[in-house]
Amino acid sequence: MRNTVKLRNLMPRGWLPLLLLVLTQTVHAQHHDSDDATPNYAATPPVLYPGEVRSFRDVTFAEPLGFRPLTLDLYLPPERGQKKPVVVFIHGGSWRSRTARDGGAFRDFPAVLASVAARNYVVASVNYRFSGEARFPAAVQDVALAIRWLRLHSARYGIDTNKFVAWGSSAGGQIAALLGTACGTPAFEPEAPSGAEGPLPSVCVQGVIDWYGLIDLESDGTDLGKPDVPDYVKAYLGCELPQCPAGWARSASPFPYIDAKDPPFLIQHGAADVTVSPSQSKRLYAALRAAGVPAELVIYPGVAHGFAKVPGGGPDDAINKQALEKVFEYLGRYFPPGK
């Protein structure tokens, strides 16, 4: 498993003033307490799921200065001794809405995440700042901060710090893909907690699952036959594309960062998706394979965005089951628990 950091300095012209603005929106992570201290979710009764899975909701992992607290939902499997791989889920919503309990057209997505935890994985579903609160790369930094928080608490939760998988849907797929390819890029590193001493845990991940992610922000509109990129992409980037600094939109896509050291990818998309074109996933898959990165692409015929039915838009239970089985297969191949 990869646990190295790719040191990069891919700062195109025009980044500096925008990056300085981002860095003024300081994120202060909570100090990690000793692993024998009372967990910060102790006052919240867990939601219980089959397989003895306990879910603790709205666990605060950071308090950004001037923003709402950042929280995650934690799904813990029964204690079985060995250290466990971690699956970090990143929800969609055009970077402007939804929560850690949303996962496309699944009827009960928290139950889906609990079913992953039941296979002896620690699962964390992360809430991040929306584009109306703080623009790119804030959302990426927020999820990276959650990953660091989990590593800081690895002893408490029985976490294997070398086995982290970022799994994102739609807008969350873009964040997951960046976490997997841009490891070590300074612009995406969250700020160190106030008063922190010594080296902090890595925010790199060792695997990526991308569900119908919007990957190439420059081409999303033309992929769908539209003359311009959607407004939510402009809001996320914080600028109209023609007025964005040179390289800014491209820096939000994984393509500049892909190389042979990247972790294995599982990419899944609906062929009838008219919200994010399947060509986005196809281009990502082609770029990964060209760099020698293990990658699998699954395109589901007749399925819309969120693996929803066409027509109608409701849950397609058969496709949802197939997509989830592919996730289990991927996790079992690259991150078998207890090994």
Side-chain angles (χ1 to χ4, degrees):
M1 294 297 170
R2 185 188 65 149
N3 194 32
T4 58
V5 175
K6 295 184 288 185
L7 298 177
R8 306 172 188 261
N9 187 13
L10 300 176
M11 306 289 272
R13 290 175 297 172
W15 269 51
L16 184 57
L18 285 169
L19 184 59
L20 289 174
L21 176 61
V22 170
L23 292 178
T24 61
Q25 299 171 334
T26 306
V27 175
H28 292 286
Q30 291 183 316
H31 288 292
H32 65 287
D33 45 14
S34 62
D35 288 314
D36 59 354
T38 302
N40 63 354
Y41 55 72
T44 305
V47 179
L48 303 180
Y49 288 94
E52 301 180 61
V53 171
R54 299 165 297 149
S55 173
F56 296 91
R57 295 185 167 184
D58 300 318
V59 179
T60 300
F61 66 87
E63 296 184 64
L65 187 64
F67 297 91
R68 59 184 166 93
L70 297 176
T71 64
L72 55 81
D73 288 354
L74 195 61
Y75 299 79
L76 299 179
E79 293 297 329
R80 294 174 185 165
Q82 73 270 27
K83 294 181 178 180
K84 305 165 188 67
V86 179
V87 177
V88 177
F89 183 77
I90 311 157
H91 69 82
S94 305
W95 305 285
R96 64 185 178 185
S97 64
R98 298 189 181 273
T99 74
R101 286 158 217 163
D102 291 318
F106 281 82
R107 298 179 190 276
D108 184 352
F109 198 66
V112 171
L113 296 177
S115 74
V116 177
R119 294 173 178 249
N120 216 24
Y121 295 88
V122 171
V123 178
S125 189
V126 181
N127 290 304
Y128 51 87
R129 285 174 291 176
F130 298 138
S131 57
E133 300 172 284
R135 53 157 186 74
F136 170 78
V140 184
Q141 293 170 326
D142 292 348
V143 180
L145 194 60
I147 292 170
R148 176 168 288 163
W149 183 91
L150 288 162
R151 283 193 165 112
L152 285 168
H153 294 81
S154 60
R156 173 180 297 168
Y157 304 128
I159 286 172
D160 186 336
T161 59
N162 295 318
K163 295 181 180 179
F164 270 66
V165 180
W167 172 16
S169 63
S170 195
Q174 178 263 350
I175 296 173
L178 274 182
L179 290 169
T181 57
C183 171
T185 300
F188 303 135
E189 285 281 328
E191 184 169 300
S194 177
E197 297 180 0
L200 289 167
S202 166
V203 298
C204 297
V205 298
Q206 288 71 50
V208 175
I209 301 169
D210 168 24
W211 277 7
Y212 43 87
L214 200 167
I215 298 300
D216 186 348
L217 276 64
E218 294 176 297
S219 70
D220 178 58
T222 55
D223 281 349
L224 296 171
K226 300 175 182 178
D228 197 6
V229 299
D231 288 341
Y232 55 80
V233 172
K234 301 173 187 176
Y236 180 57
L237 294 173
C239 53
E240 298 277 343
L241 256 65
Q243 284 77 48
C244 288
W248 184 245
R250 184 165 176 76
S251 73
S253 298
F255 298 115
Y257 316 104
I258 291 173
D259 66 25
K261 295 180 182 179
D262 291 333
F265 271 65
L266 170 63
I267 307 167
Q268 297 172 277
H269 212 123
D273 192 335
V274 294
T275 301
V276 175
S277 170
S279 64
Q280 294 269 314
S281 288
K282 292 176 182 178
R283 283 206 298 277
L284 174 61
Y285 172 74
L288 291 166
R289 291 301 299 268
V293 179
E296 180 179 4
L297 173 64
V298 183
I299 302 292
Y300 297 101
V303 180
H305 197 65
F307 302 143
K309 287 182 179 179
V310 176
D316 190 322
D317 294 333
I319 295 299
N320 285 345
K321 182 178 179 181
Q322 288 183 47
L324 191 58
E325 286 299 325
K326 290 300 297 185
V327 169
F328 291 148
E329 178 186 310
Y330 169 89
L331 292 174
R333 182 189 314 156
Y334 292 108
F335 304 95
K339 295 184 179 181

